[in-house]
Amino acid sequence: MSGTCREVVTLQLGHYSNFIGTHWWNLQDAALVYDADLPVGELQSDVLFREGLTLGGHVTYTPRLIAMDLKGSLQTLRKEGSLYVTENENTAFTWEGQIMTHKESPPTKNPFLQELDNLDTGGLLAEPDFTCSSSAVDRCSVSSAGASVAVGTVNSSLERLRKSYRLEGSVRVWSDFLKIHLHPRTISVINQYNHDGESERLEVFGQGEALLQGPVLEDLEDRLHFFVEECDYLQGFQVLCDLADGFSGLGSKVTELLRDSYGGRGILTWGVAPVNHPDTSSIKDLYHMMNCALGTLQMANNSSFFCPLTLRGGLMRRPPPPTTFPLLNYDPVLWYHSSSVLALALDCMTASYRLRQNSVPMWQLSDALTASGRKVVSAYGSVPFPMMHGSCLPDALDAFADVLPWRPISGCPEIGDGRCFGQSVTLRGLDGQSSVSPLLPGTEPPSSLHLERSGEDVLASYVRLHYPSTPLAVQLFSGASKLTPPFPQIFSPALSPQASSQPVVGLPVLTSLQSSPAVGLQLSELQKACAALDLRRVAPSFLSHGPEHGEITESMEQLRDLAHCYRQDRCRSSSEEDDDDD
């Protein structure tokens, strides 16, 4: 397929979604190529970024993004961003009477944000003007105050100072580690509910459903029209939505709006959930489970596919321990850490429809995984994939013997019986390491993988050893996700260059998206636990905001039917019916 840019609009709904999104956008920013003498990368940044103009005539390059969050969630970040002068800043007061001013101290900025401010004062970030080549906006330079400097200087400056950033104790909200500039139409604050405090919290599904009307709906439609109408070849939307709180209800309505307004476009929805919630309780745990169940059903109905994304052991009230990775030393309780792991996996899983050449459109990815109404898929990741320097891919895969290299990142453990309806496997980040065996002719191969002549064949052969009859798509990309400050250094010392104290700057990641009977078991378990609850007795407050008890009962029946779509006996019956029709 040609290098035609097929744009994507991203929506982030909720605080944890914005945590993951912030890491993800920082990764995209680090991957931009600013030097015109360097080759462009495998990924086409114009799929995600847009070119615009400030009122001063400066060209900007910002994410095609709508990020929704609650009142009090931005801290030091201005809602309008800092690239554009807004009308609100030039408002003239006509009141001639006495004025009393109450000044509130601004939130304290962490060392990373302070350093960004210093770079801004130096002219590196202040109202940049991106001058781009005619072919793409992947090579950019910044000119300000009569001088021309590369935006990449910001990244290189931060890299030199990377040891200064230990933000584990200072990250309160996602904007505390946001590196990129946002467009004024990106951030949408929902003022009806508070991010912190005891009152006016967005806790249940019905609250979120009721939000998307009136001014909130009009505001979202305006933002969508702004970003969509400037796209030449819009392929669809990627939606990150908090699954365990009231944003699950809002996400259900938002995806319904996208489906009704932009039919035929891909809608890939990721329902995200942290390992822990602050100030939790038994009743809130119940809320979380009900929100997950209702949000999964409704967003799956409205999306091309729906994939939970979490390091929790499951979506139930008392899940197993969080997912661990052999080469990661992350704290699952810290959102700053857990969101970074999920962002790395997401960067790998979404690469196929962002390629400069031979991209796989959103609709093709979703169609391959969602046959027969199975619109919920599960994700797995090896973060990082243990491809040590100097080894080859066959050796790295052989080292796992009979154990698959990835771990669950959807709270859905694999059954391990080789059954799967469809799978998309992506490996990126080999960066010059051998994807095939370097064995000389006539040498006895250690395994069958050493006989394959391409990295894609090596990976496909390995997966088929575990899933012999599964429809399979395999993608292999050489470029790794580039890790720049303030990405947390949560990696094993074994990954550092030459086992030194230098931070990790890039690493391989292996992911798998699956439609399998394991998803059906996860949905069935969730449905049974929710259907067994008498909400009118144990949680009447959940019903006070809607939906009504009868509607929830109907939703639980629909969730049960969805779980049945993943049963092997149902699939055999459907296949037999198709044969009879023939």
Side-chain angles (χ1 to χ4, degrees):
M1 187 177 295
S2 69
T4 300
C5 177
R6 290 175 169 80
E7 302 95 343
V8 170
V9 176
T10 303
L11 293 91
Q12 296 165 193
L13 312 176
H15 204 62
Y16 194 61
S17 294
N18 283 313
F19 259 79
I20 297 173
T22 297
H23 279 303
W24 193 78
W25 287 108
N26 285 348
L27 291 173
Q28 309 316 309
D29 176 71
L32 295 176
V33 179
Y34 300 101
D35 190 339
D37 296 328
L38 295 177
V40 294
E42 295 167 292
L43 302 180
Q44 190 170 20
S45 62
D46 288 352
V47 171
L48 301 173
F49 288 82
R50 61 175 297 279
E51 187 179 350
L53 282 174
T54 67
L55 296 179
H58 297 293
V59 181
T60 61
Y61 199 48
T62 52
R64 198 177 291 107
L65 166 68
I66 299 172
M68 302 183 76
D69 214 325
L70 305 179
K71 182 171 62 177
S73 62
L74 300 184
Q75 295 290 322
T76 61
L77 179 65
R78 296 169 63 241
K79 176 184 173 182
E80 301 82 7
S82 57
L83 279 181
Y84 296 75
V85 178
T86 63
E87 295 179 359
N88 292 337
E89 294 175 310
N90 296 322
T91 301
F93 291 96
T94 57
W95 172 254
E96 297 180 357
Q98 184 178 4
I99 297 176
M100 181 177 295
T101 302
H102 297 272
K103 187 173 182 180
E104 183 179 357
S105 299
T108 303
K109 293 187 176 183
N110 61 43
F112 167 71
L113 294 180
Q114 292 175 19
E115 188 62 37
L116 282 185
D117 284 346
N118 292 337
L119 294 175
D120 191 2
T121 304
L124 292 179
L125 295 177
E127 253 196 359
D129 173 15
F130 287 77
T131 306
C132 306
S133 66
S134 58
S135 58
V137 197
D138 289 85
R139 300 188 187 96
C140 306
S141 62
V142 176
S143 48
S144 65
S148 178
V149 293
V151 176
T153 307
V154 176
N155 281 335
S156 61
S157 297
L158 293 175
E159 287 170 12
R160 290 196 300 271
L161 298 167
R162 67 169 62 244
K163 291 185 179 180
S164 302
Y165 305 125
R166 301 298 180 192
L167 303 183
E168 282 74 9
S170 62
V171 168
R172 299 156 296 175
V173 296
W174 51 271
S175 59
D176 284 337
F177 58 97
L178 178 70
K179 184 167 65 174
I180 63 173
H181 282 293
L182 302 176
H183 190 275
R185 289 182 182 263
T186 282
I187 299 177
S188 176
V189 175
I190 299 171
N191 291 304
Q192 291 94 320
Y193 293 99
N194 295 318
H195 169 64
D196 287 317
E198 297 295 326
S199 63
E200 302 300 324
R201 302 299 301 274
L202 185 62
E203 294 181 327
V204 299
F205 185 87
Q207 291 174 301
E209 270 196 319
L211 266 177
L212 202 63
Q213 57 184 320
V216 176
L217 174 59
E218 294 173 4
D219 178 73
L220 176 60
E221 288 179 329
D222 287 345
R223 294 174 191 270
L224 282 171
H225 291 159
F226 174 80
F227 288 113
V228 168
E229 289 176 359
E230 64 183 12
C231 296
D232 294 322
Y233 302 99
L234 176 69
Q235 65 170 307
F237 305 86
Q238 53 185 19
V239 182
L240 279 71
C241 180
D242 284 15
L243 189 58
D245 59 21
F247 273 101
S248 63
L250 178 63
S252 299
K253 288 298 184 181
V254 169
T255 51
E256 181 182 8
L257 172 66
L258 296 176
R259 182 197 65 189
D260 294 344
S261 302
Y262 304 98
R265 310 296 184 185
I267 304 172
L268 306 189
T269 303
W270 310 85
V272 305
V275 170
N276 70 303
H277 291 83
D279 305 321
T280 192
S281 64
S282 59
I283 191 65
K284 289 184 179 180
D285 287 342
L286 186 151
Y287 287 172
H288 297 158
M289 184 177 69
M290 288 298 305
N291 292 331
C292 287
L294 294 172
T296 295
L297 174 67
Q298 299 301 334
M299 284 188 274
N301 287 339
N302 298 328
S303 304
S304 304
F305 78 45
F306 175 85
C307 182
L309 205 58
T310 182
L311 296 178
R312 284 171 59 93
L315 300 179
M316 306 292 287
R317 280 190 285 177
R318 298 176 184 86
T323 301
T324 59
F325 300 89
L327 295 174
L328 287 188
N329 300 319
Y330 84 102
D331 184 347
V333 174
L334 286 181
W335 287 21
Y336 174 57
H337 278 190
S338 64
S339 61
S340 70
V341 178
L342 294 177
L344 272 176
L346 188 66
D347 194 31
C348 186
M349 290 185 289
T350 61
S352 61
Y353 57 83
R354 299 186 282 125
L355 285 174
R356 187 176 304 280
Q357 300 289 336
N358 302 315
S359 65
V360 178
M362 281 182 163
W363 64 265
Q364 187 173 330
L365 175 62
S366 61
D367 283 357
L369 295 171
T370 58
S372 303
R374 295 184 289 263
K375 296 178 71 175
V376 179
V377 302
S378 56
Y380 305 86
S382 178
V383 186
F385 178 67
M387 181 84 171
M388 297 307 178
H389 186 73
S391 66
C392 66
L393 181 57
D395 285 339
L397 292 171
D398 282 342
F400 288 97
D402 296 329
V403 180
L404 285 161
W406 48 63
R407 305 286 177 92
I409 52 175
S410 289
C412 182
E414 289 175 287
I415 299 175
D417 61 357
R419 296 182 298 162
C420 194
F421 309 119
Q423 187 168 188
S424 175
V425 177
T426 303
L427 172 62
R428 64 174 300 184
L430 296 185
D431 272 340
Q433 298 190 68
S434 179
S435 60
V436 296
S437 176
L439 292 180
L440 297 174
T443 305
E444 184 69 22
S447 73
S448 61
L449 299 183
H450 289 259
L451 299 174
E452 304 295 345
R453 294 297 87 197
S454 72
E456 288 82 0
D457 290 340
V458 170
L459 189 55
S461 296
Y462 174 80
V463 174
R464 287 198 175 97
L465 292 174
H466 297 271
Y467 292 97
S469 59
T470 299
L472 175 65
V474 170
Q475 298 91 28
L476 199 66
F477 313 127
S478 63
S481 296
K482 186 178 180 182
L483 307 181
T484 59
F487 197 92
Q489 288 297 312
I490 54 176
F491 308 106
S492 164
L495 292 172
S496 298
Q498 288 80 47
S500 68
S501 60
Q502 294 298 312
V504 176
V505 297
L507 41 77
V509 174
L510 175 67
T511 59
S512 171
L513 285 171
Q514 298 182 14
S515 172
S516 73
V519 177
L521 293 178
Q522 181 189 43
L523 296 177
S524 180
E525 181 185 36
L526 186 60
Q527 185 272 336
K528 290 176 181 178
C530 293
L533 294 172
D534 184 357
L535 292 176
R536 290 171 294 190
R537 182 177 64 86
V538 299
S541 55
F542 190 90
L543 300 172
S544 63
H545 300 281
E548 297 180 355
H549 184 266
E551 294 174 305
I552 290 181
T553 301
E554 182 179 354
S555 293
M556 291 302 102
E557 293 175 355
Q558 294 175 6
L559 188 59
R560 182 190 60 198
D561 293 341
L562 179 59
H564 284 176
C565 291
Y566 295 84
R567 289 172 50 173
Q568 287 291 105
D569 55 351
R570 183 184 185 277
C571 297
R572 285 194 294 268
S573 298
S574 299
S575 176
E576 291 168 1
E577 290 174 5
D578 292 340
D579 292 340
D580 292 340
D581 292 340
D582 293 340

